[in-house]
Amino acid sequence: TMTAMHFLPLVLLFGFSGHVLGDEHEEHPTIHGSGTTNPSPFFWKVMDLFEERARQDVRMTYRAVGSSTGQREFQGENNGNVAYTDFGAGDIPMTQERYDNVTMSGGRVMVHIPFVIGGVSIFYNIPTADLGGQPLDLDACTLAGIFNGNYTTWDNPAITTLNPSLTVPAGTPIKVFHRIKGSSSTSGVTQYLEQRTSAAGDSCPQLWSRGSGSKINWPTTSGFSPRSGSGGMADGISSTPYSIGYIDSGFGHRLGLQEIKLKNRAGKFLDSKEADLGAAATAALAQTPAQGGLPANATQSFAQVSLLDKDGNTTWPITLMSYMYVEQNLTSKEQNGQLLKSFIEFVLSPTGQGIAEEFSFVRVPASIISYNNVTLNSLALASGTTPYFIEGSSTQVGTGAQEFVISQKRQSFADYDRNLIYSQLDALSARISTQEASSHIETLYGSGTTNPSRLFWKAMALMQDQASIPLHLSYRAVGSGTGISEFIGADNGNVSYTHFGSGDIPFNSEDYSSYTASGRQFVHIPFIVGAIGIFHSVPAADLGGHRLGLDPCSLAAVMSRRITTWDHPDILRQNPHLRVPANQPINVVRRVRGSSSTAGVTSYLQNVHLGAAGCPAWSLGSGRTITWPQGTTPAQGSGGIASALVNTPYSISYLDAGFGHDNNLEEISLKNRAGRFLTSKEADISAAGAQAAATIGQPGSIPSQPTSSWANVTLNDRDGQTTWPITAFSYFYVEKDLRRFNQTGEVLKAFIKFIMDHPSLASEFRFSKIPQSIYNYNIATLNSIQTSGTPFVFESSSTTQAGVGAGPYVISGKRRGYQDLALAAATSNITTLQSSVASLEASSAAGGCSCKDYDDSDVKAIANVAAVFGVLAFVISVIVAIKVFCCTPGHRGGAAKVERESNSVSMGVMPASQMEIKLSEKV
């Protein structure tokens, strides 16, 4: 057991401690508040300062739950009219019903303390070019017509009359964002509209029928979108062109949103930055409660107080005061009451009001401060409690060290560190702004069909090298179906995810209607002609030295699984030299997801042989996706199809012809409309495009207006001895109005023209260039697209434009990247070496040799060629490594770039596509 002697040190220790600190209070003063979200950062900062500067261990919290909830918790709803909090806060006065519940049912006396002034502004997102250099003006009636759902397009006469310089596309829909839950900003806007549209205001009551309050019944049409909180509202407006909504003025300005100039009571159009927000509060003090003014005594109801639509040339029409709701009798709160009063005094002090301005609020006028001082002096505090003293910048020797002092001389390291970080961030932001101003990178991104993706990547690399200003161009090869979906942006508020889409099929009627129903226009721009080939993997030994050929009827039967073996009589009839094992199954490989090649093949099979004698109609339909019969093998992407053909003998499938040839796949000879069997290599791929060009404007052909539907445009099964039967344009899908993209719109137009002006790119990747008549059609289409940037000028590699070629918006063939130059040289050398190897092989096969007259010079030559190949492989790997690890501004690096650049290299026994894979694996 422990003896008394053991206790003695502890007793002495605690006794000594009690003697020294006996004058300290053991309680930990605490206050809790809840209410409006708008000034919550301001409250939190002031509370942090109090906790850091207090000698006592004080605790202060504030829950940002909205004005309405703040009132209900201060009232004590469902709590016997006993407040849940020490104070409430709201951007609206306590409603009459809640005021009565507090004062009558609860028997309490409450006061309103207005502490900051803010405005609610109307923000919008319309491309600058549409505004003609002018801000957007609205009056109350027009704004009501928009928010009420009466005016649904931006070119409504009520809007354009006020804004003659506004030039939005015809029928552009208005996208309205509104708060989903009760909010003071909703209350302020709807009260203003109800008040201003009445007979006493602008007399247009037919334009506002929604009433007023923190929550109303908004229209439920597609043009109206609810959002939660000010952040949700801001995100919706900033990301949605041609949208409008209301937000706390300071919050919207901090995010750089465009603000509408609103017509005030004096007839002046102004925004909240130009207005005097404090003027409305001054006016309210001079008015009676019946006129919306403040009551003589803060204990009276504020329910009728309104700062909306006050007189004055610079008065903002939607002005709100934020209030603290406080009980007049604080005696039950003991020392907490003193802390609450001190907190309110600090909020109203010059220092506190200065902090409020950091959060884009306006100080309350001196007349309101005087009004509040009378209210604060009326607060009843518990006897025996001590007021808090605030030590400012001047040191109060002795006094400042006392217990009930909030001292500016105290500071936490977190606050010090935070201020230091803010200072450093401000400096960095200034430097970044300077850099951005001097070197802005124009970014263009698209997505869609995989077939011309290598062409896109190479064209993008070349254009980036040839541009004067930094460009970053990218393209995601995701398939035509995904490209169309992302361009439509139906799940993104009908806003495209990309600057352009691309596909090997035109929009079908459903997709075209989906896009245009949202009030948008777009154009199809065909830029290359491509072929879809039918490839197989029947072993060469089974073919008897002949090519495999099929007519469309047999092909349809194979793909629909009506013919399931390679020795079917219909196949043998067309291929008498075919020697396959008996009943050898045909493995049909098809795309698993939507693709333009699926659409091209199925459309061809559906239409090519309808009505032909003895040939059943294709019954599986057509489109990017169809329901394939059981027994077919799904594969993803062109690469998946090629892999299945290589790895599975006796298979058949469809592929972009160039991709299939690059992978050394065997192509089936297909019977065309003229009755000739031929492969896509032997055919004239451009012939179908030329025929389409000759019939522009005729039914079923290219429409005379590029904004019209192209759903019926097809190049399949055209006439001509050498015409390939499954042919398609590859298209750009481009918005008719690119003004919202600023200079990026000009980058897109230049990129399209760059591809059309470099037909060698098409042939390099086994496509055919578009006919001249289609080129001319496209130039007219490009000229009709609206943009707001500076057009690019092209300088060819053969013609120098002195001075002009050095300009910032010039794509010059005189510029070139060293990587491209080195790869081009390597390609040229490889081609020469391939020719030498072929010549040596032919010579060896023809002449043979005997041991007697053996000469090893040919062998040495071949060895030398092999050595050169090894050196070139090393050079190419170095170039690839440089491009991966050394990115320059405006140029992309990484594995994707390796794939892009390696597309231009053909290694003989290794197809380009396989080389891409190998290089990527190495990286």
Side-chain angles (χ1 to χ4, degrees):
T1 60
M2 184 175 288
T3 66
M5 290 299 295
H6 291 108
F7 279 107
L8 183 59
L10 296 177
V11 171
L12 291 174
L13 174 62
F14 283 105
F16 180 76
S17 299
H19 175 72
V20 171
L21 301 179
D23 60 335
E24 294 286 352
H25 286 64
E26 295 183 358
E27 71 266 19
H28 302 283
T30 303
I31 59 171
H32 301 290
S34 69
T36 172
T37 61
N38 291 336
S40 54
F42 166 59
F43 277 154
W44 293 330
K45 181 166 185 176
V46 173
M47 288 176 168
D48 276 357
L49 291 176
F50 254 66
E51 291 180 346
E52 292 165 1
R53 296 179 180 183
R55 174 172 160 174
Q56 286 183 323
D57 180 18
V58 301
R59 171 70 170 156
M60 309 173 80
T61 71
Y62 180 79
R63 286 168 54 247
V65 292
S67 297
S68 180
T69 301
Q71 290 188 1
R72 291 162 59 192
E73 291 187 345
F74 179 77
Q75 171 197 326
E77 185 179 280
N78 301 321
N79 195 39
N81 288 313
V82 176
Y84 288 100
T85 56
D86 295 301
F87 72 94
D91 301 316
I92 49 178
M94 186 75 73
T95 66
Q96 188 63 50
E97 179 184 3
R98 289 173 183 154
Y99 175 82
D100 290 341
N101 284 334
V102 170
T103 59
M104 295 181 182
S105 302
R108 297 147 57 196
V109 178
M110 66 162 290
V111 295
H112 284 74
I113 300 176
F115 64 95
V116 290
I117 295 174
V120 178
S121 292
I122 312 302
F123 293 96
Y124 67 101
N125 182 351
I126 294 178
T128 304
D130 289 2
L131 299 170
Q134 300 296 320
L136 192 67
D137 293 343
L138 290 181
D139 56 25
C141 288
T142 309
L143 180 63
I146 293 172
F147 283 175
N148 201 51
N150 298 68
Y151 303 152
T152 58
T153 63
W154 282 111
D155 58 351
N156 187 285
I159 299 173
T160 56
T161 299
L162 294 171
N163 300 276
S165 62
L166 185 64
T167 57
V168 293
T172 300
I174 300 173
K175 301 293 184 181
V176 177
F177 289 100
H178 62 85
R179 291 284 286 267
I180 191 172
K181 295 181 179 179
S183 78
S184 53
S185 54
T186 301
S187 178
V189 168
T190 56
Q191 284 186 43
Y192 165 71
L193 293 177
E194 185 174 51
Q195 183 175 324
R196 196 66 224 162
T197 57
S198 68
D202 291 337
S203 192
C204 51
Q206 73 281 3
L207 293 175
W208 186 250
S209 58
R210 305 284 165 181
S212 64
S214 60
K215 188 174 183 180
I216 66 166
N217 292 320
W218 290 93
T220 56
T221 56
S222 59
F224 285 76
S225 299
R227 287 293 186 272
S228 182
S230 298
M233 291 286 286
D235 288 343
I237 296 169
S238 63
S239 63
T240 309
Y242 302 104
S243 61
I244 187 173
Y246 55 90
I247 312 176
D248 164 62
S249 302
F251 193 95
H253 293 151
R254 288 197 297 274
L255 297 176
L257 300 179
Q258 294 172 291
E259 185 183 0
I260 283 171
K261 285 184 178 286
L262 201 56
K263 186 178 179 181
N264 69 6
R265 189 180 185 89
K268 305 292 185 181
F269 286 95
L270 73 171
D271 59 41
S272 61
K273 282 187 174 181
E274 301 167 330
D276 178 3
L277 271 67
T282 302
L285 261 181
Q287 294 177 325
T288 66
Q291 296 171 314
L294 273 66
N297 191 315
T299 60
Q300 296 172 343
S301 173
F302 273 57
Q304 301 304 315
V305 174
S306 172
L307 272 60
L308 301 173
D309 198 34
K310 296 295 184 183
D311 286 321
N313 284 332
T314 59
T315 302
W316 181 243
I318 315 178
T319 304
L320 302 176
M321 273 198 299
S322 294
Y323 302 90
M324 295 178 73
Y325 316 127
V326 180
E327 292 193 43
Q328 190 181 46
N329 188 344
L330 300 177
T331 55
S332 64
K333 297 186 182 299
E334 299 293 338
Q335 188 63 33
N336 294 343
Q338 293 283 5
L339 181 61
L340 176 57
K341 182 183 179 185
S342 183
F343 171 67
I344 299 170
E345 288 173 338
F346 185 84
V347 166
L348 296 173
S349 72
T351 302
Q353 292 290 286
I355 294 173
E357 289 179 333
E358 294 177 14
F359 298 95
S360 301
F361 291 104
V362 173
R363 297 172 183 244
V364 290
S367 55
I368 298 292
I369 295 294
S370 298
Y371 181 93
N372 285 333
N373 287 337
V374 173
T375 303
L376 287 172
N377 290 334
S378 73
L379 299 181
L381 298 161
S383 61
T385 58
T386 306
Y388 286 87
F389 172 77
I390 295 180
E391 180 184 39
S393 57
S394 298
T395 302
Q396 305 288 317
V397 180
T399 302
Q402 293 180 8
E403 181 181 0
F404 298 99
V405 174
I406 309 298
S407 175
Q408 188 176 321
K409 301 296 182 177
R410 292 190 183 97
Q411 191 175 13
S412 71
F413 179 75
D415 185 48
Y416 166 81
D417 202 33
R418 184 166 56 240
N419 290 334
L420 182 62
I421 291 172
Y422 288 159
S423 176
Q424 293 171 340
L425 285 174
D426 288 341
L428 286 171
S429 296
R431 292 174 61 185
I432 290 171
S433 298
T434 301
Q435 291 297 320
E436 288 178 339
S438 62
S439 181
H440 176 68
I441 298 176
E442 294 294 342
T443 302
L444 175 72
Y445 47 92
S447 67
T449 172
T450 60
N451 293 339
S453 56
R454 295 173 298 164
L455 183 156
F456 277 152
W457 294 330
K458 181 165 186 178
M460 286 174 167
L462 292 173
M463 187 167 152
Q464 288 174 163
D465 288 339
Q466 295 180 18
S468 175
I469 63 173
L471 300 178
H472 178 75
L473 314 180
S474 65
Y475 180 78
R476 284 171 57 245
V478 291
S480 297
T482 301
I484 289 173
S485 176
E486 292 185 345
F487 182 71
I488 294 173
D491 59 348
N492 191 40
N494 290 317
V495 177
S496 297
Y497 285 99
T498 56
H499 293 121
F500 70 92
S502 184
D504 303 314
I505 48 176
F507 269 45
N508 60 33
S509 297
E510 181 181 355
D511 289 334
Y512 178 81
S513 297
S514 174
Y515 189 96
T516 56
S518 62
R520 299 177 290 169
Q521 286 186 311
F522 76 104
V523 296
H524 285 75
I525 300 179
F527 64 98
I528 50 173
V529 184
I532 299 172
I534 309 300
F535 294 88
H536 72 93
S537 58
V538 174
D542 292 0
L543 298 174
H546 294 266
R547 270 203 313 252
L548 192 64
L550 290 178
D551 59 25
C553 188
S554 299
L555 178 63
V558 169
M559 302 303 287
S560 63
R561 304 295 289 158
R562 285 187 286 107
I563 291 179
T564 58
T565 64
W566 281 110
D567 59 351
H568 188 279
D570 286 354
I571 297 178
L572 294 178
R573 174 177 49 80
Q574 298 169 75
N575 301 274
H577 301 282
L578 184 64
R579 298 290 184 270
V580 294
N583 297 317
Q584 176 63 50
I586 300 173
N587 179 41
V588 175
V589 185
R590 45 80 179 181
R591 289 283 285 269
V592 69
R593 292 182 178 175
S595 77
S596 54
S597 53
T598 301
V601 168
T602 56
S603 175
Y604 165 71
L605 293 176
Q606 180 167 284
N607 295 290
V608 67
H609 63 282
L610 291 178
C615 186
W618 173 261
S619 60
L620 301 181
S622 64
R624 298 194 300 266
T625 59
I626 66 168
T627 301
W628 290 91
Q630 290 186 351
T632 58
T633 300
Q636 185 169 331
S638 299
I641 295 286
S643 178
L645 288 170
V646 168
N647 296 317
T648 311
Y650 300 103
S651 296
I652 186 172
S653 191
Y654 52 89
L655 270 173
D656 164 62
F659 190 92
H661 295 146
D662 285 344
N663 283 272
N664 291 330
L665 300 176
E666 289 296 323
E667 186 180 6
I668 288 174
S669 293
L670 202 55
K671 186 178 181 180
N672 69 4
R673 190 180 184 89
R676 290 192 58 187
F677 283 89
L678 73 171
T679 65
S680 61
K681 279 188 174 181
E682 300 165 334
D684 179 2
I685 303 302
S686 64
Q691 291 181 41
T695 57
I696 290 177
Q698 296 183 16
S701 190
I702 296 173
S704 56
Q705 294 297 321
T707 55
S708 299
S709 174
W710 288 56
N712 295 321
V713 175
T714 179
L715 304 186
N716 283 339
D717 199 34
R718 296 272 181 168
D719 289 320
Q721 289 292 312
T722 59
T723 302
W724 181 246
I726 315 178
T727 308
F729 283 126
S730 289
Y731 300 91
F732 281 98
Y733 314 126
V734 181
E735 291 186 35
K736 183 71 162 54
D737 188 346
L738 297 176
R739 289 178 291 180
R740 68 188 177 94
F741 295 137
N742 300 318
Q743 188 61 32
T744 299
E746 294 290 355
V747 175
L748 175 53
K749 289 176 66 173
F751 176 61
I752 295 170
K753 191 171 187 302
F754 186 91
I755 287 179
M756 294 196 304
D757 287 344
H758 290 77
S760 60
L761 288 171
S763 58
E764 179 180 344
F765 296 103
R766 301 182 185 271
F767 296 103
S768 293
K769 68 176 185 178
I770 53 175
Q772 185 62 41
S773 54
I774 299 293
Y775 178 94
N776 295 339
Y777 179 95
N778 287 341
I779 292 298
T781 299
L782 287 173
N783 290 337
S784 72
I785 293 174
Q786 295 174 290
T787 53
S788 60
T790 302
F792 284 87
V793 175
F794 288 88
E795 180 185 43
S796 70
S797 59
S798 59
T799 305
T800 300
Q801 300 180 49
V804 175
Y809 297 102
V810 176
I811 308 298
S812 175
K814 300 290 185 179
R815 296 188 184 94
R816 198 169 183 183
Y818 180 72
Q819 311 97 306
D820 175 59
L821 182 67
L823 282 170
T827 302
S828 175
N829 290 335
I830 289 170
T831 302
T832 302
L833 292 171
Q834 284 175 329
S835 177
S836 298
V837 170
S839 176
L840 289 169
E841 287 176 341
S843 174
S844 177
C849 69
S850 65
C851 295
K852 180 170 63 177
D853 58 355
Y854 178 75
D855 183 354
D856 66 352
S857 61
D858 285 352
V859 175
K860 290 178 179 178
I862 293 173
N864 289 335
V865 169
V868 172
F869 264 112
V871 172
L872 282 171
F874 174 75
V875 171
I876 291 172
S877 67
V878 170
I879 293 170
V880 168
I882 290 171
K883 290 180 71 62
V884 171
F885 298 107
C886 300
C887 301
T888 56
H891 292 72
R892 295 178 298 146
K897 193 155 188 181
V898 177
E899 294 177 353
R900 178 182 68 205
E901 294 299 334
S902 61
N903 282 326
S904 62
V905 182
S906 175
M907 295 294 289
V909 295
M910 181 184 288
S913 58
Q914 294 181 20
M915 182 178 180
E916 291 172 28
I917 296 169
K918 295 296 182 184
L919 289 172
S920 297
E921 290 173 348
K922 292 294 183 185
V923 174

